[in-house]
Amino acid sequence: MLRKLVKYDLKWIEKFMLIFYTITIIISILARISSNFTDTVAGNILYQILKATAISAFVSTFINALIRVLARFSLHSYKDESYLIHTLPVERKTVYNSKIVSSIVSMFISLVVILIGFLIVFLDTNMINAIKDIVNVSGVWIILGLALTVILESTFMILAGIIGMILGHKSNNNRMAKSVIIAIAMYFILQGVLLLLVYLFGLMDTDMNVLFTVTENLNVIDPMKKLLVVVDILYLLLVTIMYFVGKRQYSKGVNVE
């Protein structure tokens, strides 16, 4: 049943997101084509406009993917479709898990599309040379660490929105407003705690300390590797705790609108 729920969620989400994916890729291709005509004033202006538009498309794709997965959770948990979902012979924790899985998969797809668009627009000889310079064991680990950080951050945002919605809908009035306030407050408070912990770890660790105290002639490879490990571990712990908190609260029951 979990697989079927995830399948239907992804169809609902990605059918809408396909529009943004298509727009993002088309604009990225147009920006790339226009980069060949920057030797004229008009051509350069056109390239700058399309490049800025492509960046806007990246941001729009990410934001709309986040909104779409949260809308799916709201629709199935508290709106009209919830009456059908909650009468199915499925445990609430299974419904919750399906939303988490489909949300993470959808955000991952959007990130891949954004990465493809970014490479189409910005990949050039200078970037290729820069990639070659860092493509060694340390460089690869840093790239992988950054990619994992982005995925964990996206998951954190999803869980903050979902938990905010669950807690906000336990109220009898102004549910959506309270959901938004709780989600935003939770996001910034937990981000503040995470940043503080990273800073404290950095001060206590000799290698990482140079990232916070030295301003020049700094070899950042090893300190960055340690920093990313710390950040990713803290993010992983945080999203794990948030997942179980959300599942526990959701399993207690929902107030359908």
Side-chain angles (χ1 to χ4, degrees):
M1 182 57 74
L2 175 63
R3 183 177 178 181
K4 289 183 179 180
L5 290 173
V6 171
K7 177 182 176 181
Y8 288 125
D9 286 345
L10 287 176
K11 280 186 176 181
W12 190 88
I13 296 169
E14 295 306 315
K15 183 178 180 180
F16 175 81
M17 288 305 302
L18 186 60
I19 299 172
F20 288 90
Y21 299 157
T22 303
I23 292 173
T24 296
I25 297 301
I26 290 176
I27 292 176
S28 298
I29 293 173
L30 290 175
R32 184 68 181 190
I33 293 173
S34 68
S35 67
N36 297 312
F37 304 97
T38 56
D39 51 339
T40 65
V41 174
N44 186 56
I45 292 175
L46 178 62
Y47 171 61
Q48 296 300 328
I49 292 174
L50 287 172
K51 185 168 66 173
T53 304
I55 294 173
S56 298
F58 301 157
V59 175
S60 179
T61 295
F62 182 85
I63 292 175
N64 277 280
L66 180 62
I67 292 174
R68 194 66 172 171
V69 299
L70 294 178
R72 183 62 170 176
F73 182 84
S74 175
L75 184 66
H76 265 193
S77 298
Y78 305 106
K79 304 298 182 180
D80 292 341
E81 290 189 21
S82 64
Y83 291 99
L84 172 61
I85 294 298
H86 294 310
T87 56
L88 292 174
V90 183
E91 292 182 306
R92 283 199 183 95
K93 64 180 182 180
T94 302
V95 176
Y96 176 82
N97 287 336
S98 72
K99 303 308 173 201
I100 298 300
V101 173
S102 60
S103 296
I104 293 175
V105 171
S106 295
M107 293 304 296
F108 180 77
I109 293 173
S110 71
L111 290 173
V112 171
V113 172
I114 291 169
L115 176 61
I116 292 172
F118 178 86
L119 292 176
I120 291 173
V121 176
F122 295 102
L123 186 63
D124 55 16
T125 303
N126 293 331
M127 182 177 289
I128 292 174
N129 291 332
I131 293 173
K132 287 180 179 179
D133 291 337
I134 65 172
V135 172
N136 50 50
V137 175
S138 297
V140 169
W141 277 110
I142 288 178
I143 292 173
L144 292 176
L146 286 171
L148 181 58
T149 302
V150 172
I151 293 172
L152 290 172
E153 166 65 16
S154 301
T155 305
F156 170 67
M157 295 174 70
I158 292 169
L159 288 169
I162 287 176
I163 293 175
M165 205 175 300
I166 293 172
L167 296 179
H169 279 77
K170 289 185 179 295
S171 176
N172 293 322
N173 52 66
N174 299 321
R175 293 177 176 179
M176 188 52 67
K178 291 179 180 178
S179 297
V180 173
I181 292 172
I182 292 172
I184 293 175
M186 182 185 306
Y187 176 84
F188 284 106
I189 291 173
L190 292 179
Q191 280 285 15
V193 172
L194 188 144
L195 289 173
L196 177 60
L197 289 174
V198 170
Y199 181 70
L200 293 176
F201 273 112
L203 292 180
M204 292 185 292
D205 185 273
T206 305
D207 293 333
M208 288 175 57
N209 184 261
V210 297
L211 292 172
F212 302 95
T213 56
V214 179
T215 58
E216 58 184 11
N217 298 323
L218 174 63
N219 181 7
V220 300
I221 297 298
D222 290 333
M224 276 296 296
K225 285 169 61 179
K226 277 195 173 183
L227 177 64
L228 286 171
V229 168
V230 171
V231 169
D232 288 343
I233 289 175
L234 289 175
Y235 258 130
L236 188 58
L237 289 173
L238 183 59
V239 298
T240 300
I241 292 171
M242 292 174 72
Y243 162 77
F244 284 108
V245 169
K247 184 166 73 170
R248 179 179 175 81
Q249 292 297 319
Y250 192 80
S251 298
K252 288 182 178 179
V254 296
N255 293 328
V256 177
E257 294 181 1

